[in-house]
Amino acid sequence: MSSLLDEGLKTREFPGVVYRPGPTGRRAGLVGGPDVWEVIRDLRHWPGRGMERVERLAEDLDLPVSMVSLAADFYSAFPVEIDARIEADEQAAEQISRRIEERENLLSS
């Protein structure tokens, strides 16, 4: 199945989710909002349980609760896709941290 066909089927199943291009490839995002992986990353670490957690994050992100719930629903259907994005972001952040540390070590010696 082509990626565009796959994306089309997913967005048909989850209205409000779109695929957008970026430097690391196409990724699922919320219409008018952040990428799905960003919402899920934050939702995992947000305080509270169940809908309380969803409501608190929605308030903090200034998003409707329905959009955060949509991201959670999309994740439950396609966890491998979203987990891969989260892992790639974490690896990029670690690499940047190492570079900063190496630079600081060089400049302080």
Side-chain angles (χ1 to χ4, degrees):
M1 185 179 324
S2 78
S3 64
L4 288 178
L5 178 57
D6 186 44
E7 289 175 9
L9 293 172
K10 290 175 180 177
T11 58
R12 185 173 184 184
E13 183 178 353
F14 293 93
V17 172
V18 294
Y19 277 82
R20 49 179 77 120
T24 60
R26 295 179 61 79
R27 70 244 188 252
L30 300 173
V31 172
D35 290 346
V36 171
W37 72 266
E38 293 172 306
V39 174
I40 298 306
R41 176 201 59 204
D42 293 347
L43 191 57
R44 284 180 173 164
H45 302 291
W46 215 253
R49 296 182 58 96
M51 283 306 293
E52 176 192 4
R53 179 183 287 171
V54 170
E55 291 166 358
R56 286 176 157 187
L57 180 60
E59 183 178 340
D60 190 71
L61 296 177
D62 197 26
L63 293 173
V65 169
S66 61
M67 287 182 78
V68 176
S69 293
L70 175 60
D73 292 342
F74 187 89
Y75 174 77
S76 69
F78 307 106
V80 172
E81 175 182 340
I82 303 306
D83 285 341
R85 286 278 169 196
I86 293 169
E87 185 176 330
D89 180 68
E90 290 170 352
Q91 289 174 355
E94 287 173 16
Q95 185 178 30
I96 290 168
S97 291
R98 281 193 305 274
R99 287 181 180 169
I100 290 170
E101 185 177 331
E102 289 171 8
R103 181 179 186 275
E104 292 303 314
N105 287 340
L106 172 67
L107 296 176
S108 65
S109 53

